[in-house]
Structure formats: structure tokens, C-alpha cells
Amino acid sequence: EAGVVQSPRYKIIEKKQPVAFWCNPISGHNTLYWYRQNLGQGPELLIRYENEEAVDDSQLPKDRFSAERLKGVDSTLKIQPAELGDSAVYLCASSSRRGGYEQYFGPGTRLTVT
Amino acid sequence: AQTVTQSQPEMSVQEAETVTLSCTYDTSESDYYLFWYKQPPSRQMILVIRQEAYKQQNATENRFSVNFQKAAKSFSLKISDSQLGDAAMYFCACMNRDDKIIFGKGTRLHILP
């Protein structure tokens, strides 16, 4: 069974440029999470999807961040425009069901904003 | 609001010895879940162990076990017979019934050969 796939693995952009990250969760997993992980810190939840519905986006900086999960499968997280402080690893995770079950994490996208 | 505190930024243990990583949490929920996740260098985060708050029995997974003290809101991870492959960042996390999850800042574990 394939794991959670993310691309790109690394991205370097200049500030004020847009950037997008893509995530393909494990097949059949209805719940999808996007996290931001700063260096030396734990992951911070940005948004959680149940199928195609964003059920928790309270921590998503909506002035510059947006996300979508079309057809309840793949998901894209976008930043426009990027700021220096957005440099971090962006993690995607999926889970087969709600109720405190295991999350399966992707390898992450390391974003560097210069 | 939920909080998770890991007070040990780094720890070291001799190979084959036992080490305990500390975690305290705070939540207003009566029902929640606790996790320990492992993040090896440059590798994906994986689940180590999971505990349901309503279960008094401490969870165990092979060499990994927890000491869950609900009244004290403490959830420590014990690794027995430490191996070189156990070297990683370890994150404690608390999830409420609405699947809202908070991670701690992590503890970097070094295994000394």
C-alpha cells in the first residue's frame, strides 16, 4: 500500500511569490490534515478535511493561505504571497476515520523563502 | 484550550538501557486520546503508541510503554532496551473528541553506542 505522497519535496522561492504544495493521501482515507512544522518544533495544524469539507481551518492564515480538496482525495495548499516567516516544513497526513485514530504522515515539503 | 508540554528538549541513553520521556498536557475534555509519534532524521513521522483516556490500563507496544496518570495529566513514554534505530525526535500529542490535535515541541533522543 502506498503511503501519503507529497510534492515537491523541496521548494525555494523569493518572498512575495506564490507557492503550492500537493498531497495524495492513502487510498480510502477520508480525513486529511495539513500541518506546518517550524525548525525544532512540533507540527501545528493548519487545516483538517473530512472528505471534501474543511471541518477545522481555525489556524489557517486565510489572508495568504488557501487549501482545497477536490473530490475528497488529493489536496493542495497554497500560499500567496509568501513571506520570510513561512519558511518551514509543510506536512500532510491522512487517517482512515475519526475518533483518535492513527495519522499517517507524508515526507513533507521543505519551503525556504528568501 | 489544549496544551502539551515536553520539558526535555534533548535526552541521551546508552544502547540497551531504558529511557523515559516526559509529557504533560492540559485539556478541558473528559474524553481524549494521547499519542507518541517518532520522527527519525529526514524520515516520516510514525506512530509509536496510542492511549485512550478512558482506559486506565497503560498502552504497550513491544519495547515501548507509557505511564498514563490521568489525574496528574501526565503521559510519559518508556523505551526499554534502547536501540540505535530509536534515535529520533519524539512528539507527544493530545487529540480531543473532535479530532483537534495539539503536539508538543518534541524531545530529541540520542542513543549512545
Side-chain angles (χ1 to χ4, degrees), chain A residues 11-96:
Chain A
K11 189 74 176 178
I12 301 174
I13 61 171
E14 294 183 348
K15 62 182 181 182
K16 300 185 182 180
Q17 294 301 306
V19 64
F21 315 122
W22 176 79
C23 173
N24 181 238
I26 292 174
S27 178
H29 281 198
N30 297 326
T31 307
L32 184 145
Y33 306 79
W34 280 105
Y35 293 93
R36 176 169 58 191
Q37 186 176 23
N38 293 312
L39 189 63
Q41 303 290 316
E44 297 176 348
L45 180 67
L46 292 173
I47 189 168
R48 174 168 65 91
Y49 282 93
E50 293 290 339
N51 298 303
E52 63 274 11
E53 180 183 1
V55 295
D56 184 358
D57 62 357
S58 57
Q59 301 302 311
L60 189 72
K62 298 181 183 63
D63 57 335
R64 298 184 299 108
F65 286 65
S66 63
E68 61 181 10
R69 190 183 184 196
L70 300 176
K71 300 181 180 179
V73 182
D74 295 3
S75 179
T76 303
L77 178 69
K78 297 178 182 178
I79 309 175
Q80 182 171 12
E83 297 179 352
L84 295 177
D86 295 331
S87 294
V89 175
Y90 291 82
L91 297 170
C92 179
S94 69
S95 180
S96 59

Side-chain angles (χ1 to χ4, degrees), chain B residues 23 25 28 35 46-47 56 60 66 70 75 77 79 81 91-92 94 101 109 113:
Chain B
C23 173
Y25 62 93
S28 58
F35 305 86
I46 58 173
L47 179 69
Q56 292 189 343
T60 62
V66 298
K70 192 171 184 178
F75 184 61
L77 175 69
I79 306 174
D81 185 25
F91 294 98
C92 178
C94 179
I101 188 167
L109 179 64

